Structures are given as C-alpha cells and as structure tokens.
Amino acid sequence: MFRLSLSTFRERWPLFIGAVLTVCLGVALVQSSLLILVSAASPDISADLPPEVADRLRDGYTGAITLLGMTLGLSAFLAIFIVSSTFAFTVAQRRRDLALLRLVGGARGQVRRLLLSEALVLGAIGTGIGVPLGLAAMRFQSWLLTDLGFLPPDFAPRWQSWILGVSAGVGVGVALAGVLAASRRAAKVRPLDAVRETGTATRVMTAPRWFFGILFAAGAIALMIVSRIVPGDGVIPITLFVGITGAIAMSAFSPLVVPFAGLLAGFLLRGTTIGLLAQANLRDGVRRSASTAAPLLVLVALLVGQAGTFGSLSEATRGEQERAIAGDLVVDSTGAAAQRIAGLPGVGTASTEIALTMPVLAEVGNGKPKTKEIRGSVLAVDPAAYQRTHPRPLAEGSFADLHGDTIAVGPKRSGDRGLAIGDTVRAKTARGKVPLRVVAAQAPTMNGGASFLVPREVVGADVLAAGKATTIVRAAPGADVGALAARIRAEGVGNPVGVAEAVAAKADGQRVTNSGIMAVLMGLAGLYAVVAVINAVVIAAAERRREFAVARMTGLSRAQVVRMAFVESWVVTAIGLALGCLAASGTLFAIGSATGRVTGAPSVVVPWALLGAVVAGAFAVVGISSLASGVAATRPRPVTLAASRE
C-alpha cells in the first residue's frame, strides 16, 4: 500500500500541494512558538535590576507565554481543520478510483491504509520543509513580540534538540488526524454506489456530519453563556473558542446552504445561460462548494470575531475608566511634587495614587495552604480622597477601615483565594515583612487595574516622595478648570490633562497593543485561509476538465465556461462570508455579555472597515484563482477530454 500511495502522490500531486503547505506552516509555527515559549518560561532576569523593572519584565514574559499558548492552539486547530477539509474533498473527488480498487479485490482496511499512507507521505514532506522554515518563523516571532513590548530587546530563544521529534510528531500527527475521518468514510462507501455516483457515495450531510455540527453548535452556545460569568482575563480565550466552535458548526452545516444560494444566484441571473448552469452546478457540486467555502468561513469567523473582541474591550475599558473617575484633571508627577497640589488655590480634592513595587505574600490552598508571592501594581492612597474621586462601589468591605496595617484588594485580584475580608497577608516593605489585614475588595474591571491598595502610613515617607504619582484633581466649586491647570503647570508640579484626554491616551496605547496581538494571531489565520481557498479552487477546476469539455462541445464558448466557473466561485465566496459572519456574531454576543456584566453597559464594536477589506479580498482572491484555474482547465481541446474519466 505504501508503494501505491507514493505512486498516487506522484501522479496527483496537485491535489496534495495545498495540504503539504498547510502542514508545513503548522510545523513551522508550532516549532517556533514552542521554542520561544520554553525560553520565555525560564527567563534570565538579573538580580541587579530595580524591582519595578524586574516586575515589568516578568509581566511581559507572562503576556508572551499567554499569547504563544493561544498561537499554538490556533495553529493546531487551523492545520487539522484545513488538512481534514482538503483530504475530505480530494477523497470525494477520487471516489471512483477508490471504488475500482474495491471492485478488483481491495478490502476496506486496505483503502484506509492507502489513504493513511498518503497522509504519512504528506506529513513527512510537510515536516521536512517546515523544520527549516520554523527557524525563520522563530526569528520573526521573536522580533514581533519584542516590538510589541512583551519581550526585552536582548531576548534570544534557545534551540532545543528535542524539538525535531516534536515537529515530526506534529507534522505526521496533523496529516493523520486530518485524513482519519475521510479514510473511514471512504472505506464505508459501497463500490457500486461510487462507480454509479448514487446512494451513500453522493450523500454530503451524513450522520456524523449532523452529529458534530449539532455538537459544536451546542458548544458555541454554551461558551456564549459561560462568557457572562468568566473573569475579565478569561474573556479573550473564551471568545476565541466561541469563534472556533461556531466556525466548525457552520462548516458542518454549509452543504445545507449551497442549494439555496444556487437558487438565489439563478434568480439574480435569470434568463441567462450562465446563471442557469451555475445554479445547476452548485446544486450538483454541493461537496465541492462547501469545501471551498470552509476556509473563508473560518477566516471571517476568527478575524472579524477577534477584531470585534479587541475593539469592544478597548471601548468598554475607555467608558469604564471615564465613569470610574470623578475628577477634572489628571497630573503625573513624583510623590514629592504631588504633595503640593492639594494646597494650590482652586483645588477642591486631590487624590494622589503612588505606584509601589511591593510583593505581597498570601496563604492560598485548601487543607495545607502554601505561601504565594503576588507581584503586581500596588497603590498607596489616602482612602478618603480616593473614595471621593473613585465613587464606584466596593465589592466587599469599606474604605473607612483602610488605615494602619491594612490592605484593600484591587480589581485585578478581586475574588482570589487567600484574599478574603479578614485574611492576613504579609507585604515586603522597608520595615520587613509587615502583616496586613484585608479590609476591603474592589469589584473586577475590564482593564484589570491595581492588585492592591494600601494606606500611605504603611510605606515610608522617603518611598512616597520618590515614587511615581498620579493625582486626580477636582476643582473647587466656582473655580475655572483651565486656570487651575495653568496654575499647576506654572508651579512645575506636572503637566495636567483632562480626564477624558488621559483615558483616551491610555486607550490608544492599549489599542496599539491589541493590534499587535491581532497581527500575531489573525495574520496566521489569514495565511492559512488564503492557501486553503486557492488550493480548493485549483483542485475543483482540475477535476472538472471533462465537465468543462462537455459543456464546450454542447455549444458554450471557452469564455462562457470560464465565466460560469467564475460566477460559481463568487456564490461560494458569498456563502463562506455569510456563514463566517454568523459565527463571528456569536463571538460579538459573548464579548457584549462579558463587558455588560463587568461594566454594566454592554460594549460591542463591529469592525466594519476590516470586514469590508476581508470581503473585498476574499472575492478578489477567489475570483482570480477561479479565472486562472478555469483558463488552465479549458486549455486542451474539448474532444481530447470529453471521453476521458477523471
């Protein structure tokens, strides 16, 4: 069987080239992401660095690990999905060949071994190309993560010899996983049905397809419900899984949509020969149309869904911060300079927040608790002034108790184990490890916020004076805000800006970071989709040469045949885009539910500009591919192909 597989691969290599490229990309990205992830998981952070710099590096490494983990999962999903859809299509195109193999004595097990051997060859070739390509991908990913600020400029991922075994396992495993279902389905088809193209051989909506379609649709709905209760830092992974499960469900049900889309195309092009033929071909080529639409569907579901997620998060964070701050001006300065703001004429309230680098030790775990060091943003505040400029209600406790050796849990750590009201934690300060009693907890927010708040007396005066301070200023009744800002500026305290301006600047910075994350994740999806859709169009055209020849012998010109295939490809593109938008709407519903629960006001941003670009690009890529493959398929004289059997 292996020799027969090699022979088939040599003769029909155009059918496999797209799957080889997909496996190659999957191996390269998994290898690259895994090497960077392993290096980032054990960073070499110098003990001589200032604590705040070391904490910033640790946060960056943590963000990089999270992003790389998502990249690994997305790479594996896309590779398996596209290889499986490609193999399902190619196996369907070859069902007559496989039926003849059965008729001359081949058993079901031999058919399955033939297809699995082909997958093994495909995986080996994809791995061989993917390993060296992974080295280039590693350099590019490292540069991108450094440029986004996740990794330091001197970061260099380390080569691990065991990665070769992992890459080989990924390449061969993805190929075998992709062909497994198609090989089982091909072995079950009765030979005579395949030869005559009747019965189960032509059925597209099989029982397993119905089962998995319903299963993943139910999974997407369940995840949308879960998004209402998931913590803020789990929103992005949940929405990603909503998009993935929704895309799989829509892909499973796409054959149901193809005939209706054909009817619509026939109605719009009624009275034309091209329209009638396109409608008939769409009705008869349901599997072909669904296979071509699948990668477009996944692209739109992930790209539009995740762009909407990041846009909605940015908008929700901006609105939440504007509502959370009751002030007129924001002043950044040192702690020493901030002390002068409250005494200036025209100042009603001045709430200064001084950022500290102060690890907190908490006892976590059931039964036998263990000490956990929590690093994050700690703010030293005046509780009374802070409450006047941050009127959002607390989740638990009261700021009135925040004095002496006490601590309040910030929104980023709200609900964490070991940080309940009444618990005692230890903070590493200049006085040593100081025990602090938890007296209040803020409600979670979309942007995370501070981990802890402590009263100013917990920290020494010299630390407060040297710290980085942000002061929220409320003007006294009747005072002119513009004049007050000029007075603060003239005193040399800092450069005051309006609250809305400060929030917008922070939101813009977050938006830049989100765009970078989108580039890492969704650029991958776009590359996979382009390869897969071009491959599907080329395979379909190559296998329809006899059909095109017969159409030309019945009176159609070569140009009409090419236009007919072009119309069909655009209808299929519309199907993929529409179903992808439907799957993306589930993602937007999930993010709307999550933002509404946390902020009280659902935020949903539809990325219209990106959607328009994706639609235009999809029609352009599919259209050009269809025209090019149609011209190539109709190049031979019709009489030389009409009597042949593909």
Side-chain angles (χ1 to χ4, degrees), residues 264-273 275-276 279:
L264 180 60
F267 175 76
L268 295 176
L269 298 174
R270 59 187 179 277
T272 65
T273 303
L276 291 174
Q279 177 183 345

Side-chain angles (χ1 to χ4, degrees), residues 498-514:
V499 170
E501 183 181 347
V503 170
K506 190 173 182 179
D508 288 342
Q510 185 62 47
R511 194 173 294 112
V512 170
T513 302
N514 290 345

Side-chain angles (χ1 to χ4, degrees), residues 626-645:
S626 176
L627 289 174
S629 58
V631 169
T634 56
R635 186 172 291 117
R637 296 176 58 191
V639 71
T640 63
L641 297 175
S644 67
R645 297 294 293 180

Side-chain angles (χ1 to χ4, degrees), residues 121-143:
V121 174
L122 185 152
I125 295 174
T127 301
I129 303 173
V131 168
L133 183 62
L135 297 176
M138 182 175 67
R139 286 192 289 270
F140 175 74
Q141 274 189 302
S142 299
W143 169 83

Side-chain angles (χ1 to χ4, degrees), residues 17-27 75 78-83 86 174 528 531-532 535:
I17 190 67
V20 170
L21 288 175
T22 302
V23 172
C24 170
L25 290 173
V27 169
S75 300
L78 289 172
I80 293 174
F81 180 86
I82 291 175
V83 169
T86 302
V174 164
Y528 271 117
V531 170
N535 181 60

Side-chain angles (χ1 to χ4, degrees), residues 31-58:
Q31 173 183 297
S32 169
S33 300
L34 198 55
L35 286 173
I36 298 174
L37 191 150
V38 169
S39 299
S42 53
D44 184 16
I45 299 177
S46 173
D48 298 330
L49 291 175
E52 61 274 12
V53 176
D55 285 346
R56 192 160 55 247
L57 281 175
R58 290 189 187 94

